[in-house]
């Protein structure tokens, strides 16, 4: 529906107002540019103009708008990179970044695309591509990427694949981010589970449960053996990580994406394990802010994404480590996603601006080691393996896991189905249904959503 509105209704409406809009835009543009050149914009403040750009004395700058949904440490690192690009690039490109609240970011971005108010480049999670590509919300960049000097061989193949449909590229990959286990060295050492700088955990289901049970026996009662919020998406990430580790697991749909196809034995085995962790209070109930619990020393282990490393590094007296999510079943893997730099479609594309936006995005990806200070693994392989990145604390512990990320399936309805799964899992955690009851109606539930 949004695609129909964008392609047919909006262009007709625009024709009626075209003459008036041209006059207004030209006047505003001349006034704005005059203010910029006269230096008045410096009086207005940073929100009204980008950082200064070198070598602009004789060439008008190409203005590029850039949207992000970041918070915490992420935004400070991205600010640093944008400012640096504006100062260093010699293509007379000026990038103005707008950060948005993550809660409604995609609603806002989708609306902006439909109403022709979208930015030139935007951070878009790879998990959104199944919706955005069929809706023609983001551009195929095969040709312009070649013009910008992008070499696709530079990127991690598993991350790159999430930005493609068939042989077409729709974004510059920036990173991958995935769930890991954070651990409090003090509590593990107290339980005899941290010796000589190594976490002492045995493989398999039994090894994982025994590890948490040993923790539970040796740490204070008000300290969680493993912290995972039970009312958010985190518990879905935990179940998905386990389900995807089992041979035949990690799927929800038939190959054409039209019907549900859950591997029931794998789903049951992994779901029963997670349920047992809640039942034994190895994951205590009613944890709303697991990150805060861990930061305050109230959790021995924390299941969360790599993006929190930078925040924990700033907590005084928190002696913590990071380890990949353990291989409990047939192969390694944990839930993850990827940040990409994609290019929203516009009714009238400006080739010069699109090329400038791709050049900027490519530069960001090639400086992934700086972005990696936030915890993410750079998509450019040379950046992920660089001394700059690997010399950062703890990065060596999990960098290789970028090759074992278990993404959600690519389906236009995946977000709605994830929401439904979260709701079903919460019913189990609160004792309102059993594992078998959930699995009995899981495929009919998925099929119903797919038909909507």
């Amino acid at each position: 529906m949004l695609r129909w509105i964008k392609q047919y209704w909006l262009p007709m409406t625009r024709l009626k107002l075209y003459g008036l809009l041209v006059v207004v835009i030209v006047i505003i543009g001349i006034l704005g540019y005059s203010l910029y050149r006269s230096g008045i914009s410096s009086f207005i403040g940073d929100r009204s103009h980008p950082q200064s750009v070198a070598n602009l004395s004789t060439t008008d700058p190409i203005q590029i708008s850039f949207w992000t949904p970041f918070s915490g440490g992420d935004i400070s690192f991205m600010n640093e990179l944008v400012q640096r690009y504006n100062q260093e690039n010699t293509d007379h490109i000026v990038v103005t970044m707008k950060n948005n609240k993550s809660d409604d970011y995609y609603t806002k971005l989708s609306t902006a695309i439909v109403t022709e108010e979208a930015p030139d480049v935007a951070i878009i999670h790879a998990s959104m591509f199944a919706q955005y590509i069929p809706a023609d919300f983001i551009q195929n960049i095969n040709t312009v990427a070649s013009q910008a000097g992008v070499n696709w061989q530079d990127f991690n193949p598993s991350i790159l694949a999430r930005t493609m449909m068939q042989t077409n590229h729709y974004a510059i990959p920036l990173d991958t981010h995935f769930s890991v286990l954070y651990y409090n060295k003090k509590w593990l050492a107290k339980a005899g589970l941290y010796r000589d700088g190594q976490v002492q955990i045995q493989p398999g289901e039994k090894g994982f449960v025994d590890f948490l049970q040993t923790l539970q026996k040796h740490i204070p009662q008000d300290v969680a053996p493993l912290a995972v919020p039970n009312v958010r998406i985190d518990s879905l990430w935990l179940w998905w990580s386990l389900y995807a580790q089992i041979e035949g697991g990690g799927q929800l749909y038939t190959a054409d994406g039209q019907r549900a196809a859950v591997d029931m034995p794998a789903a049951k085995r992994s779901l029963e394990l997670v349920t047992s962790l809640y039942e034994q209070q190895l994951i205590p109930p009613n944890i709303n802010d697991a990150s805060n619990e861990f930061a305050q020393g109230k959790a021995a282990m924390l299941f969360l994404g790599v993006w929190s490393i930078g925040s924990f590094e700033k907590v005084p007296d928190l002696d913590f480590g990071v380890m990949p999510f353990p291989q409990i079943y047939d192969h390694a893997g944990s839930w993850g996603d990827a940040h990409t730099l994609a290019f929203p479609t516009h009714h009238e594309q400006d080739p010069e601006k699109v090329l400038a936006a791709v050049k900027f995005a490519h530069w960001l990806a090639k400086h992934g080691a700086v972005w990696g200070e936030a915890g993410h693994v750079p998509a450019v392989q040379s950046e992920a393996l660089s001394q700059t990145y690997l010399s950062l604390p703890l990065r060596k512990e999990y960098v290789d896991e970028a090759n074992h990320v278990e993404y959600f399936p690519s389906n236009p309805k995946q977000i709605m189905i994830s929401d439904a799964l979260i709701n079903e899992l919460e019913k189990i955690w609160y004792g309102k249904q059993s594992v078998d009851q959930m699995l009995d109606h899981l495929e009919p539930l998925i099929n119903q959503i797919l038909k909507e």
Side-chain angles (χ1 to χ4, degrees), residues 196-214:
D196 301 323
Q198 297 293 321
V199 176
Q200 306 298 311
I201 184 172
Q202 298 301 311
E205 278 188 18
K206 186 176 186 303
F208 186 56
V209 174
D210 287 350
F211 175 85
L212 293 176
Q213 289 175 337
T214 301

Side-chain angles (χ1 to χ4, degrees), residues 203-260:
E205 278 188 18
K206 186 176 186 303
F208 186 56
V209 174
D210 287 350
F211 175 85
L212 293 176
Q213 289 175 337
T214 301
L215 264 178
Q216 189 179 50
K217 292 176 183 177
H218 290 88
I219 59 180
Q221 289 186 349
D222 63 344
V223 174
L226 175 60
V228 182
N230 56 353
V231 293
R232 293 181 7 183
I233 196 172
D234 304 64
S235 61
L236 174 58
W237 293 342
L238 177 58
W239 170 66
W240 184 261
S241 299
L242 294 165
Y243 174 49
Q245 284 190 4
I246 300 174
E247 193 67 36
Q251 62 176 346
L252 294 175
Y253 318 108
T254 54
D256 61 6
Q258 298 301 307
R259 292 190 58 79

Side-chain angles (χ1 to χ4, degrees), residues 156-397:
N156 180 302
S158 65
I159 305 173
L160 182 65
R162 302 297 298 186
T163 66
M164 297 177 64
M165 181 170 285
Q166 298 176 345
T167 59
N168 295 319
H169 295 272
Y170 286 89
I172 303 291
L174 180 61
D175 69 46
T176 186
H177 46 274
F178 43 87
S179 297
V180 293
L181 286 180
Y182 296 85
Y183 56 89
N184 185 306
K185 294 180 181 179
K186 179 181 74 172
W187 295 131
L188 265 64
K190 182 178 176 63
L193 298 172
Y194 186 72
R195 297 191 300 271
D196 301 323
Q198 297 293 321
V199 176
Q200 306 298 311
I201 184 172
Q202 298 301 311
E205 278 188 18
K206 186 176 186 303
F208 186 56
V209 174
D210 287 350
F211 175 85
L212 293 176
Q213 289 175 337
T214 301
L215 264 178
Q216 189 179 50
K217 292 176 183 177
H218 290 88
I219 59 180
Q221 289 186 349
D222 63 344
V223 174
L226 175 60
V228 182
N230 56 353
V231 293
R232 293 181 7 183
I233 196 172
D234 304 64
S235 61
L236 174 58
W237 293 342
L238 177 58
W239 170 66
W240 184 261
S241 299
L242 294 165
Y243 174 49
Q245 284 190 4
I246 300 174
E247 193 67 36
Q251 62 176 346
L252 294 175
Y253 318 108
T254 54
D256 61 6
Q258 298 301 307
R259 292 190 58 79
V262 178
D263 186 304
M264 288 300 174
K268 182 174 182 177
R269 184 180 181 186
S270 53
L271 192 50
E272 286 181 338
L273 173 58
V274 180
T275 302
S276 73
L277 301 182
Y278 281 101
E279 290 175 343
Q280 299 176 69
Q281 295 200 10
L282 298 173
I283 302 176
N286 303 319
I287 295 177
N288 293 320
D289 191 343
S291 296
N292 189 53
E293 294 276 313
F294 185 77
Q296 293 183 355
K298 293 298 183 180
M301 305 285 291
L302 171 67
F303 175 81
L304 194 62
V306 294
W307 55 81
S308 289
I309 286 180
S311 299
F312 291 142
E313 288 173 343
K314 298 175 183 178
V315 178
D317 303 322
L318 179 62
D319 190 10
F320 76 98
V322 178
M323 60 184 286
F325 186 70
Q327 179 180 335
I328 294 173
Y329 295 118
D330 299 323
H331 54 80
S334 68
W335 169 89
D337 206 336
H339 288 125
T340 79
L341 295 144
F343 311 90
T345 56
H346 296 270
H347 180 61
E348 294 183 1
Q349 300 284 7
D350 182 340
E352 183 181 49
K353 294 193 75 171
V354 175
L355 178 59
V358 173
K359 286 183 175 181
F360 162 66
H362 187 217
W363 184 93
L364 277 185
K366 297 285 281 185
H367 290 76
V370 176
W371 174 240
E373 292 181 41
H376 315 287
V377 177
V380 172
Q381 296 179 101
S382 60
E383 289 292 289
L385 298 176
S386 68
Q387 186 59 32
T388 301
Y389 179 73
L390 295 178
S391 63
L392 295 170
L394 304 172
R395 299 326 189 260
K396 289 182 180 179
E397 304 298 327

Side-chain angles (χ1 to χ4, degrees), residues 28-284:
I28 292 174
I30 292 172
L31 177 59
Y33 185 71
S34 298
L35 290 173
Y36 175 84
R37 295 291 287 181
S38 66
I40 295 176
S41 59
S42 65
F43 174 78
I44 296 173
D46 287 341
R47 291 181 60 131
S48 301
H49 71 93
Q51 295 290 320
S52 61
V53 181
N55 302 321
L56 290 182
S57 57
T58 60
T59 304
D60 292 343
I62 305 172
Q63 302 284 347
I64 296 300
S65 56
F66 174 37
W67 280 18
T68 71
F70 296 131
S71 60
D74 284 358
I75 190 60
S76 62
F77 294 120
M78 188 55 71
N79 265 322
E80 175 188 339
L81 284 166
V82 171
Q83 291 176 9
R84 181 174 164 188
Y85 180 79
N86 282 341
Q87 292 166 356
E88 294 181 3
N89 89 85
T90 58
D91 292 313
H92 312 293
I93 299 169
V94 181
V95 179
T96 302
M97 183 175 75
K98 178 181 179 181
N99 197 46
N100 302 267
K101 292 181 179 179
S102 60
D103 293 346
D104 63 349
Y105 177 65
Y106 288 109
T107 300
K108 185 175 181 180
L109 180 60
S110 298
T111 302
I113 293 171
V114 170
T115 59
E116 291 292 336
E117 299 172 312
D120 301 300
V121 57
I123 293 291
I124 298 180
H125 285 86
S127 55
M128 293 296 297
F129 280 31
Q131 290 186 41
Y132 274 31
I133 293 175
D136 195 28
F137 275 14
I138 54 178
Q139 302 179 52
N140 178 333
I141 60 168
N142 279 7
T143 300
V144 69
S146 178
Q147 295 170 352
V150 177
N151 182 356
W152 299 116
Q153 301 301 315
D154 292 340
F155 295 88
N156 180 302
S158 65
I159 305 173
L160 182 65
R162 302 297 298 186
T163 66
M164 297 177 64
M165 181 170 285
Q166 298 176 345
T167 59
N168 295 319
H169 295 272
Y170 286 89
I172 303 291
L174 180 61
D175 69 46
T176 186
H177 46 274
F178 43 87
S179 297
V180 293
L181 286 180
Y182 296 85
Y183 56 89
N184 185 306
K185 294 180 181 179
K186 179 181 74 172
W187 295 131
L188 265 64
K190 182 178 176 63
L193 298 172
Y194 186 72
R195 297 191 300 271
D196 301 323
Q198 297 293 321
V199 176
Q200 306 298 311
I201 184 172
Q202 298 301 311
E205 278 188 18
K206 186 176 186 303
F208 186 56
V209 174
D210 287 350
F211 175 85
L212 293 176
Q213 289 175 337
T214 301
L215 264 178
Q216 189 179 50
K217 292 176 183 177
H218 290 88
I219 59 180
Q221 289 186 349
D222 63 344
V223 174
L226 175 60
V228 182
N230 56 353
V231 293
R232 293 181 7 183
I233 196 172
D234 304 64
S235 61
L236 174 58
W237 293 342
L238 177 58
W239 170 66
W240 184 261
S241 299
L242 294 165
Y243 174 49
Q245 284 190 4
I246 300 174
E247 193 67 36
Q251 62 176 346
L252 294 175
Y253 318 108
T254 54
D256 61 6
Q258 298 301 307
R259 292 190 58 79
V262 178
D263 186 304
M264 288 300 174
K268 182 174 182 177
R269 184 180 181 186
S270 53
L271 192 50
E272 286 181 338
L273 173 58
V274 180
T275 302
S276 73
L277 301 182
Y278 281 101
E279 290 175 343
Q280 299 176 69
Q281 295 200 10
L282 298 173
I283 302 176

